[in-house]
Amino acid sequence: MNITLRQLRAFIAVAEHGQFNLAARNLHLTQSAVSILIRELESEIGVRLFDRHTRMVSLTLVGQEFLPQARKVLKDLELAVGDVRDNASLKRGQVTIAAAIVLAATIVPPIIARFLRMYPEISVNIRDMPEEQITPALERNEVDIAVGTLSEDNPEITATPLLRDKLMLVCREDHRFAKRKSVRWTELKDEPLITLAATNPLRNIVEHNLIRVAPNSRPKYEVRFSTTAISMISAGMGVAVLPENSRQLASAVHITTVDLIDPTVMREVSLLQRRQHSLSPAAEHLKAVFVAYAADRSGFGAQD
């Protein structure tokens, strides 16, 4: 079947006006062009849609049955095109973004708030999750974009660097390291260390640096969430190495962060997306807001 929208519009116009010349005038076409479109439509369907009279035309029984269906097709198409245009102009749309637990609780909310002030009609869903779940969520198309750390090259994922944050020692306020300006990695060898799950990209960074200075060091506890580690530190169960922005969560549970040196270790936080996958206009604009904030590091963590 090779029915065109021009044929349907011509059919509806002729049915509504009862004359080819009036329909042609309404469509800004010549009368002969409208006649050709109707003949083509009737030929494609294989049945007459109009009975021709001297000056007037009237719908056949088949034409009467076809008219509401033709109207519905055009109406549905207009609605669909309208939805696409609204999404393109950001009058509507939805974005789902994944973020690692600490990032979701620190830098992400003010950026989302800024985005929603710019585009209030867009719905943004935030999925906070452990770092190791972010890449699979992207690969399963469960989220549009994500903020986290890509620990190794993945041909399915592309990363746009946003910022580099420093790894810090997190300890309780009454710990012997709490008043220190900095602590060396070698000093952690006798500390009960709380680490994140082995599949977490942050765990890989910590172990890589710890093995170099304390090859026999082993974690005392392994947890899945940074927030769990922070609560355990508050309970006096040990210390942990977490990103610098974890300090935003620390004051409420009486723990503190201390510079960890020799070496100073940075991790790269990136905006992640599927490599061969076009973002929706809403997701593309949200990505641009994140990148703009990254260009001005003062934007991260600002409570605006």
Side-chain angles (χ1 to χ4, degrees):
M1 189 172 293
N2 190 28
I3 295 175
T4 68
L5 292 177
R6 295 182 76 237
Q7 292 168 356
L8 290 179
R9 289 194 179 98
F11 166 69
I12 293 171
V14 173
E16 290 177 344
H17 290 88
Q19 295 183 32
F20 278 90
N21 61 338
L22 294 179
R25 190 179 309 163
N26 180 262
L27 295 172
H28 305 289
L29 296 173
T30 64
Q31 183 172 332
S32 60
V34 172
S35 297
I36 291 172
L37 288 171
I38 296 301
R39 284 199 301 271
E40 290 175 345
L41 178 61
E42 290 178 327
S43 175
E44 188 66 36
I45 294 176
V47 65
R48 291 178 65 86
L49 297 172
F50 292 101
D51 288 322
R52 278 76 167 174
H53 308 291
T54 305
R55 297 186 55 145
M56 303 289 293
V57 294
S58 59
L59 287 166
T60 63
L61 182 60
V62 173
Q64 293 174 26
E65 294 176 348
F66 183 58
L67 180 60
Q69 300 300 322
R71 285 173 171 156
K72 184 177 185 301
V73 168
L74 284 184
K75 183 64 175 178
D76 289 346
L77 181 61
E78 288 171 359
L79 290 173
V81 171
D83 287 346
V84 170
R85 286 175 175 167
D86 283 348
N87 278 296
S89 62
L90 300 181
K91 292 180 180 178
R92 60 182 296 177
Q94 179 173 301
V95 188
T96 300
I97 179 171
I101 301 292
V102 174
L103 296 173
T106 54
I107 71 169
V108 170
I111 301 174
I112 298 297
R114 169 67 65 88
F115 175 79
L116 291 177
R117 286 197 294 271
M118 297 167 62
Y119 307 106
E121 304 302 321
I122 303 298
S123 172
V124 179
N125 299 321
I126 304 173
R127 293 188 56 186
D128 50 346
M129 60 181 63
E131 289 264 12
E132 66 269 19
Q133 292 184 3
I134 289 178
T135 296
L138 281 166
E139 292 174 336
R140 293 193 299 266
N141 296 330
E142 294 174 356
V143 299
D144 299 300
I145 55 178
V147 181
T149 301
L150 196 62
S151 59
E152 56 187 25
D153 289 338
N154 185 322
E156 301 298 322
I157 304 297
T158 182
T160 302
L162 293 176
L163 71 129
R164 301 180 74 222
D165 63 353
K166 185 164 52 177
L167 297 191
M168 306 281 285
L169 175 68
V170 183
C171 61
R172 210 162 82 158
E173 289 179 343
D174 59 359
H175 191 278
R176 63 191 179 94
F177 290 152
K179 303 301 182 184
R180 297 264 297 272
K181 184 177 179 180
S182 61
V183 173
R184 291 181 172 83
W185 282 82
T186 53
E187 296 179 80
L188 299 183
K189 61 182 179 180
D190 297 322
E191 291 293 323
L193 189 64
I194 304 167
T195 63
L196 300 178
T199 52
N200 190 302
L202 185 60
R203 168 73 173 271
N204 297 335
I205 298 173
V206 172
E207 286 193 340
H208 174 76
N209 286 277
L210 197 57
I211 287 173
R212 290 192 301 174
V213 295
N216 297 320
S217 178
R218 295 291 182 270
K220 178 74 172 179
Y221 305 102
E222 180 180 297
V223 298
R224 193 176 182 191
F225 302 105
S226 300
T227 47
T228 304
I230 289 172
S231 294
M232 292 172 67
I233 295 166
S234 180
M237 298 175 66
V239 300
V241 178
L242 295 173
E244 185 174 7
N245 52 40
S246 299
R247 70 172 63 190
Q248 293 179 238
L249 307 177
S251 59
V253 288
H254 308 294
I255 66 175
T256 190
T257 57
V258 183
D259 278 347
L260 195 55
I261 62 171
D262 293 338
T264 297
V265 180
M266 309 293 289
R267 68 142 182 181
E268 190 165 87
V269 175
S270 298
L271 190 137
L272 310 175
Q273 65 186 89
R274 295 184 295 284
R275 189 176 297 277
Q276 303 298 331
H277 183 84
S278 298
L279 296 178
S280 68
E284 194 67 63
H285 278 73
L286 179 56
K287 173 183 175 180
V289 172
F290 269 91
V291 172
Y293 261 68
D296 177 10
R297 278 294 304 276
S298 63
F300 283 96
Q303 301 301 311
D304 61 353

